[in-house]
Amino acid sequence: MVGPMGVTRREALAGGVALATGAWGAPSLWLPSRQAAPVVVASANGLTSKNGGTVSCVETAFNLMVSGGDVLDALVEGVAIVESDPEDTSVGYGGLPNAEGTVQLDAAVMHGTRKTAGGVACLEGVRTPAKVASAVMLSTDHHLLVGEGAQKFARQMGFQVEDDLNTERSRKAWLEWKRRSDPEHFPDPRKRGGTEVAMEMAREGWFPIEHVFGTIHANAVGPDGSIAAVTTTSGLAFKIPGRVGDSPILGAGLYADGNVGAAGSTGRGEANLFGLCSFLIVEEMRRGSSPLDAGVFALRRVAEKTEARLKRPDASLAFGLQFYVLDKSGRFAGVSTNPGSFAVCDESGPRLAALEVVR
Ligand code: GLY
């Protein structure tokens, strides 16, 4: 495609000008100032979820940041597509609820270049928790608000607070989970109940298996070299009310350093919380590791620190955990305990790439 100055998209991105508009493949304005190869990396739902429209999270974020938008603002707009999508039962509106049938959301944002961050946990009633996390970052002196305090803050900041974020699909899934699981499972859902029933229902097609611990993480390097990350989730399906996973915790669900790169996660939050792996990955890259090597290092650390009940007889990890890793030069990788894919959007366009499996 040839732009108004007679250069192609690829030439423009390689030569110091950036594309400036909405729809992929239809640039209408050209801006100077490229200092890095822009790229957005996300979990697979960053490409597969479109909320009934035509553009995904990674495309939206890429187009916004090459149009001159801030890298974190672009990511937050991107993940809002997935948060608002009722078909994605792992995030935002229609996310699988907790054990009492209430949708409780966690999210965090981190701007590695501006050195700012914000998060919310156990937030009820707001479809786009990453936007509330962004407001925490921009309008408070704090990094994390939880529960009623987070909801009150969201209301005061002008967010719409709804009574119930369940869809028919998530509500019916919860009712079925309730019917099958032992009502006596509290307070120890590690016995029969909780996650085991959720996995059984996923295998039967009630919701995708990756939505049991489902989440969206996205990170990016903008054309000006700035680096940011966002993670947003409804958390573990049918969790004990009040349970918070890795997603809103800086260093666990995400970490971004403007001089190094960014990392973030989806999957079993408890496994990641134990090792604060996003921070670990960024520190490994600071010491010179590639994104792939740093991600593999973190998964090996998780394996080393995991208790026996969460391992298979062959000692491999019996849960899903993924890391999405990006360095400041735009190199990226996705690593996982299970086969799968992750989303990328760069000058070659949006696509899925294979996760590197570490068992
Ligand atoms: N990784 C999402 C969670 O465990 O809540």
Side-chain angles (χ1 to χ4, degrees), residues 248-270:
I249 306 301
L250 303 181
L254 74 175
Y255 199 76
D257 185 308
N259 296 322
V260 181
S265 66
T266 59
R268 183 180 163 83
E270 281 74 7

Side-chain angles (χ1 to χ4, degrees), residues 90 106 212-215 231-237 239 243-248 253 265-273 320-321:
S90 71
D106 304 331
V212 174
F213 278 98
T215 298
T231 304
T232 171
T233 188
S234 50
L236 170 66
K239 60 197 173 187
R243 177 265 188 190
V244 177
D246 56 338
S247 301
S265 66
T266 59
R268 183 180 163 83
E270 281 74 7
N272 181 19
L273 275 170
L321 182 62

Side-chain angles (χ1 to χ4, degrees), residues 1-4 6-12 19 23-28 30:
M1 173 158 309
V2 178
V7 292
T8 65
R9 167 180 287 272
R10 185 178 293 273
E11 287 163 351
L19 306 181
W24 185 261
S28 66
W30 303 72

Side-chain angles (χ1 to χ4, degrees), residues 15 86 139-140 179 181 205 213 223 234 252 285 294 330 332 335:
S139 303
T140 79
R179 188 182 70 77
S181 60
F213 278 98
S234 50
M285 291 195 290
F332 57 82
V335 298

